[in-house]
Amino acid sequence: MAAKLRKGDKVVVLAGKDKGKEGTISSVDPKAGKAVVDGINIAIRATRQSQTSQGGRIPKAMPIQLSNLALIDANGKPTRVGFRIDGDKKVRFAKTTGDVIDA
């Protein structure tokens, strides 16, 4: 199935402890159906000290299910994503406004 949400998309969380928060997708794992969103689903992880970084309790963004995320359209509202053919290209568009997401 085609990826409806991609790296760099601005999304809002629909369910879970961070419901209503907005962020930008930093990475997507399509096989697991999860994405890492900056500032969302933060967990504290204990890490060892290394030459490059200080050790200790480090906050880290953990993956969240793609089904719990919705793309934010031009009006700032959550929307579903659809696909359509424009000319010879398959493009994503916002279902609420009909605007093309990636030009």
Side-chain angles (χ1 to χ4, degrees):
M1 186 173 159
K4 293 190 176 191
L5 297 175
R6 297 181 185 161
K7 180 179 176 179
D9 284 347
K10 192 161 175 58
V11 294
V12 64
V13 180
L14 299 176
K17 66 178 184 178
D18 293 323
K19 181 177 180 177
K21 290 186 181 178
E22 297 179 3
T24 305
I25 296 178
S26 57
S27 68
V28 177
D29 182 7
K31 192 169 187 177
K34 296 188 176 213
V36 176
V37 182
D38 297 331
I40 305 294
N41 200 21
I42 299 294
I44 303 295
R45 291 289 176 251
T47 57
R48 279 193 178 271
Q49 181 176 353
S50 67
Q51 286 184 336
T52 58
S53 65
Q54 183 70 24
R57 295 169 43 116
I58 308 290
K60 180 181 179 187
M62 301 304 286
I64 188 169
Q65 279 285 345
L66 289 173
S67 63
N68 294 333
L69 300 174
L71 188 74
I72 296 177
D73 65 2
N75 300 332
K77 304 274 187 184
T79 184
R80 291 180 295 167
V81 178
F83 292 97
R84 68 174 171 223
I85 305 296
D86 277 350
D88 58 344
K89 291 176 63 177
K90 180 178 173 184
V91 296
R92 297 185 304 157
F93 72 98
K95 291 262 188 161
T96 55
T97 60
D99 296 336
V100 174
I101 297 167
D102 38 31

